[in-house]
């Protein structure tokens, strides 16, 4: 693939908070630990080495060995699991929901960013080992977010009655989804490979967690990816002391609330991604994942008749840690407690809520990881790139909203200048004189002058809009071809990676897709990647 890139902030698809973070805005310093640059990982390693209990390693290795029981494990993954027992081994982590057949394309970008960073770290710090981790969000309970993927503009959807943690969902009725998807694929060689992959993952495993592990393992096992399921009693036992501070002392609620207030002081333009609850844990059983709420000293499981006194809940937590599920605030801490982790790789929304958590980690005495924005990419075929060239389009213009994109291009190719900015500026200068005249004669006329200025500006805007519409009609064919191209690369006027499933690209590139992406995506590039297939 041919590789080019543009700054994230030039795409218009990333929040001000994330763009400021990437620019390492000075007053955001209190909200992150070390910026993810290779030279900064030396101190991150030393901090995590001192902060991570060596006894946790044996527990982690035993849990992972058990989780992989019954799965074919690559030599690289098996080595990585065993290396985690050594105090010189550290991890890089990404996490994602259990979306059907990987869901959107950026699932691949997350994992590839993670694997590639471990390679770069190994080249720089040869005395250490680095393991790429995919954390499966098996305890999420929003089935509607994960029960489909898009294929050629159509939604392939799994319909079933579901409640509780998604990783425990049985895979019944996925044979219907397979038949629908299979019919859409056709019978080319690469199509048959996709059919086999879907069938072995979802029809060959009894629950969604195992199906997702199989799928991710098939796609990335050769690169040594280690897949972690947090829905594990042995691992959750390590979380118990921290869960008690959350449930009985509300420490995360206090610390994260303070951080949110402090972020708002840095900039009122920052959108808060998540808000903490007084208790950031769910009660978890088969078919049940409901919030724990405290009312007058009694701990209730929301929407159930389950009640605990404080003493009984403490005993339940000690005896059955697997029944307690961290929410979006507590889950990052859980991850960092059980893993010797250096860096978390996520999308813009994820990093936005991680930036709320540093003071909470400090209060819990857990090392805060580096935060790295995952790779983002726009992939275009050679044919699409040629069309863009023939239409004389700039790639950066394709990132504009469609209305702005069309208007900008119409102005560029029009044989008349449809930009009334000079006229508007001249009008403003003329009205300055009128304001001055009203001020000197009768101030009560200032409102009338303002009304006249607004009226005339609106008239210019309306005329400009009508002329643009007229030019669009004259250049209708060009506009259609432009918008068709933008719609191809930005389906539903959104980033390609948020809409496409990897299967569409696999039909074209086959097994070469992931190696090509591995070669083309650089995790520390700090830019949006443009890829052209060759």
């Amino acid at each position: 693939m041919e590789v080019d890139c543009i700054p994230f902030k030039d795409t218009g698809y990333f929040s001000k908070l994330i763009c400021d973070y990437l620019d390492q805005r000075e007053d955001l310093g209190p909200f992150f630990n070390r910026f993810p640059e290779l030279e900064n990982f030396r101190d991150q390693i030393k901090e995590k080495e001192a902060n991570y209990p060596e006894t946790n390693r044996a527990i982690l290795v035993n849990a992972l060995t058990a989780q992989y029981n019954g799965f074919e494990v690559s030599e690289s993954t098996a080595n990585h699991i065993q290396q985690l027992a050594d105090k010189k081994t550290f991890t890089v982590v990404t996490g994602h929901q259990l979306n059907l057949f990987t869901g959107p394309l950026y699932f691949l970008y997350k994992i590839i960013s993670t694997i590639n960073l471990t390679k770069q770290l190994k080249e720089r710090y040869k005395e250490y080992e680095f393991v790429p981790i995919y954390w499966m969000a098996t305890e999420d309970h929003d089935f509607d977010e994960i029960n489909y993927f898009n294929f050629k503009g159509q939604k392939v959807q799994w319909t079933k009655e579901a409640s509780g943690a998604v990783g425990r969902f049985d895979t019944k009725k996925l044979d219907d989804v397979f038949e629908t998807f299979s019919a859409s694929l056709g019978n080319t060689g690469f199509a048959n490979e996709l059919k086999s992959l879907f069938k072995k993952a979802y029809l060959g495993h009894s629950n969604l967690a195992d199906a997702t592990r199989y799928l991710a393992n098939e796609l990335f096992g050769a690169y040594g990816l280690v897949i972690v399921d947090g829905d594990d009693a042995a691992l959750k036992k390590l979380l118990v002391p921290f869960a008690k501070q959350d449930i009985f002392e509300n420490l995360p609620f206090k610390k994260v609330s303070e951080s949110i207030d402090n972020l708002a002081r840095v900039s009122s333009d920052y959108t808060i991604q998540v808000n903490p609850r007084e208790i950031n844990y769910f009660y978890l059983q088969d078919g049940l994942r409901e919030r724990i709420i405290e009312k007058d000293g009694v701990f209730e499981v929301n929407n159930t008749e389950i009640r605990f006194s404080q003493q009984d809940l403490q005993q339940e937590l000690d005896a059955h840690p697997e029944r307690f599920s961290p929410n979006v605030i507590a889950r990052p801490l859980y991850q960092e407690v059980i893993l010797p982790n250096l860096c978390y790789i996520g999308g813009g929304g994820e990093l936005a809520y991680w930036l709320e958590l540093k003071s909470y980690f400090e209060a819990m005495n857990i090392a805060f990881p580096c935060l790295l924005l995952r790779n983002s990419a726009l992939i275009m075929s050679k044919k699409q790139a040629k069309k863009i060239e023939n239409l004389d389009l700039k790639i950066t213009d394709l990132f504009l909203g469609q209305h702005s994109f069309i208007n900008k291009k119409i102005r560029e190719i029009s044989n008349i200048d449809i930009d009334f900015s000079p006229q508007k500026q001249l009008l403003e200068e003329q009205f300055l004189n009128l304001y001055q005249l009203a001020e000197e004669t009768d101030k009560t006329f200032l409102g009338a002058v303002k009304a006249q200025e607004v009226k005339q500006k609106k008239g210019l805007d309306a005329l400009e809009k009508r002329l643009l519409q007229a030019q669009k009609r004259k250049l209708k064919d060009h506009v259609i071809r432009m918008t068709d191209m933008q719609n191809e690369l930005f389906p539903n006027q959104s980033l390609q990676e948020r809409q496409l499933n990897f299967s569409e690209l696999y039909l074209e590139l086959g097994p070469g897709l992931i190696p090509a992406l591995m070669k083309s995506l650089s995790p520390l590039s700090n830019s949006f990647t443009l890829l052209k297939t060759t």
Side-chain angles (χ1 to χ4, degrees):
M1 292 184 178
E2 294 180 15
V3 182
D4 201 354
C5 60
I6 59 175
F8 279 112
K9 62 184 175 184
D10 288 353
T11 69
Y13 280 93
F14 294 84
S15 70
K16 176 173 172 54
L17 174 58
I18 293 305
C19 292
D20 284 352
Y21 171 68
L22 295 176
D23 288 339
Q24 300 182 60
R25 177 172 167 167
E26 187 175 348
D27 43 7
L28 279 179
F31 301 95
F32 64 93
N33 196 2
R34 297 176 182 86
F35 196 76
E37 296 171 341
L38 277 178
E39 58 269 23
N40 290 341
F41 277 95
R42 172 73 67 183
D43 287 339
Q44 191 71 28
I45 290 168
K46 291 185 181 302
E47 182 182 3
K48 190 64 181 184
E49 192 171 22
N51 184 258
Y52 183 72
E54 196 167 343
T55 52
N56 288 13
R57 290 184 178 275
I59 296 168
L60 176 62
V61 170
N62 289 338
L64 288 172
T65 302
Q67 288 183 16
Y68 271 91
N69 186 35
F71 290 86
E72 186 174 335
V73 185
S74 71
E75 182 179 354
S76 181
T77 295
N79 287 340
H80 276 160
I81 291 173
Q82 293 309 312
Q83 284 169 351
L84 286 167
D86 191 301
K87 65 181 182 179
K88 293 292 185 181
T89 299
F90 297 90
T91 64
V92 174
V93 178
T94 194
H96 198 66
Q97 295 169 298
L98 307 191
N99 293 74
L100 187 62
F101 212 44
T102 77
L105 186 59
Y106 67 80
F107 172 83
L108 269 63
Y109 300 162
K110 278 185 165 184
I111 293 177
I112 289 168
S113 300
T114 303
I115 294 169
N116 281 344
L117 181 56
T118 60
K119 291 179 178 179
Q120 291 187 354
L121 288 171
K122 180 60 180 174
E123 289 174 7
R124 182 64 173 265
Y125 303 105
K126 292 182 170 56
E127 67 271 33
Y128 296 100
E129 299 296 335
F130 303 94
V131 176
I133 300 284
Y134 161 45
W135 181 288
M136 294 194 297
T138 54
E139 294 179 44
D140 279 5
H141 59 250
D142 197 337
F143 183 59
D144 291 340
E145 287 188 2
I146 67 162
N147 68 346
Y148 70 94
F149 62 95
N150 295 316
F151 181 73
K152 295 187 175 180
Q154 301 297 315
K155 183 178 281 191
V156 180
Q157 190 163 5
W158 178 23
T159 304
K160 67 173 286 176
E161 293 294 322
S163 62
V166 296
R168 301 182 183 188
F169 289 178
D170 67 60
T171 52
K172 292 175 182 176
K173 294 191 177 180
L174 272 168
D175 50 350
D176 295 336
V177 178
F178 171 71
E179 293 301 328
T180 301
F181 181 45
S182 183
S184 303
L185 280 169
N187 288 298
T188 65
F190 294 157
N192 289 331
E193 289 179 21
L194 285 169
K195 291 177 190 178
S196 176
L197 182 61
F198 188 101
K199 189 173 184 178
K200 288 178 180 178
Y202 293 101
L203 307 189
H205 296 89
S206 61
N207 62 58
L208 190 56
D210 286 349
T212 305
R213 181 183 295 274
Y214 176 87
L215 179 60
N217 192 48
E218 283 295 301
L219 294 173
F220 295 105
Y223 300 97
L225 182 69
V226 174
I227 302 161
V228 175
D229 183 353
D231 190 3
D232 185 294
L235 295 178
K236 282 189 175 176
K237 192 171 183 180
L238 298 175
L239 187 62
V240 169
F242 306 95
K244 286 180 178 178
Q245 285 182 282
D246 187 309
I247 295 169
F248 303 117
E249 299 175 29
N250 306 139
L251 184 59
F253 174 75
K254 297 167 188 172
K255 289 297 180 180
V256 177
S257 296
E258 288 171 5
S259 289
I260 289 172
D261 290 342
N262 291 334
L263 272 170
R265 291 189 187 99
V266 175
S267 174
S268 59
D269 294 326
Y270 292 164
T271 300
I272 299 306
Q273 195 69 21
V274 295
N275 285 291
R277 297 189 182 276
E278 290 186 345
I279 296 175
N280 294 286
Y281 282 81
F282 296 89
Y283 192 70
L284 181 67
Q285 291 183 346
D286 286 339
L288 173 71
R289 186 177 186 251
E290 290 284 354
R291 288 169 49 209
I292 300 170
I293 304 169
E294 187 267 332
K295 292 182 180 178
D296 300 322
V298 176
F299 293 84
E300 303 177 359
V301 177
N302 200 36
N303 296 321
T304 74
E305 298 299 318
I306 303 172
R307 304 285 186 274
F308 296 96
S309 67
Q310 180 168 331
Q311 184 178 358
D312 288 342
L313 190 60
Q314 287 177 328
Q315 291 174 350
E316 180 79 353
L317 187 52
D318 288 329
H320 297 286
E322 72 279 3
R323 295 179 184 172
F324 293 80
S325 176
N327 73 358
V328 67
I329 293 290
R331 195 276 306 160
L333 186 88
Y334 177 31
Q335 168 193 298
E336 299 301 314
V337 165
I338 68 172
L339 294 172
N341 191 45
L342 304 175
C343 181
Y344 183 77
I345 297 179
E350 290 175 282
L351 263 56
Y353 73 72
W354 272 88
L355 289 168
E356 301 173 19
L357 304 180
K358 184 167 180 276
S359 65
Y360 157 41
F361 273 62
E362 289 171 346
M364 295 289 196
N365 194 30
I366 297 296
F368 195 68
C370 294
L371 303 178
L372 177 63
L373 185 63
R374 64 167 173 82
N375 282 122
S376 283
L378 174 65
I379 301 176
M380 67 193 82
S381 66
K382 195 173 182 180
K383 184 178 178 181
Q384 287 170 327
K386 186 64 177 175
K387 283 184 181 179
I388 291 170
E389 183 182 339
N390 291 339
L391 288 166
D392 195 26
L393 299 175
K394 297 176 183 175
I395 292 292
T396 50
D397 288 346
L398 288 165
F399 284 85
L400 294 169
Q402 196 155 92
H403 180 72
S404 300
F405 170 57
I406 294 170
N407 286 349
K408 183 175 187 294
K409 194 60 186 176
I410 289 296
R411 285 190 169 97
E412 287 177 5
I413 64 178
S414 177
N415 55 4
I416 59 173
D417 187 10
I418 310 176
D419 182 0
F420 284 7
S421 297
Q423 288 83 354
K424 292 173 188 175
Q425 185 177 350
L426 181 61
L427 187 67
E428 288 173 358
E429 290 171 358
Q430 290 173 336
F431 269 91
L432 281 175
N433 294 328
L434 289 175
Y435 282 122
Q436 186 176 352
L437 182 61
E439 183 80 29
E440 293 173 352
T441 54
D442 187 343
K443 291 183 179 181
T444 62
F445 281 96
L446 286 171
V449 174
K450 180 65 177 178
Q452 192 62 227
E453 181 186 16
V454 170
K455 181 179 179 181
Q456 293 197 31
K457 281 184 175 179
K458 283 184 177 178
L460 282 175
D461 287 339
L463 183 57
E464 184 180 40
K465 186 176 181 180
R466 289 178 65 186
L467 288 171
L468 274 170
Q469 291 296 336
Q471 280 300 95
K472 287 177 188 177
R473 287 192 293 272
K474 286 177 65 176
L475 301 168
K476 182 179 178 181
D477 179 63
H478 198 95
V479 169
I480 289 172
R481 287 185 289 141
M482 284 168 46
T483 53
D484 283 348
M485 176 51 60
Q486 190 185 43
N487 290 337
E488 276 186 37
L489 294 175
F490 293 80
N492 295 325
Q493 296 184 43
S494 177
L495 287 178
Q496 178 192 72
E497 63 188 32
R498 294 191 168 276
Q499 299 292 321
L500 259 64
N501 180 261
F502 85 98
S503 56
E504 288 191 47
L505 294 172
Y506 197 97
L507 283 176
E508 178 186 349
L509 300 173
L513 171 63
I514 289 177
L517 290 173
M518 294 286 298
K519 185 177 179 181
S520 303
L521 296 176
S522 176
L524 299 177
S525 67
N526 203 18
S527 56
F528 190 101
T529 308
L530 306 171
L531 300 175
K532 183 171 73 175
T533 60
T534 54

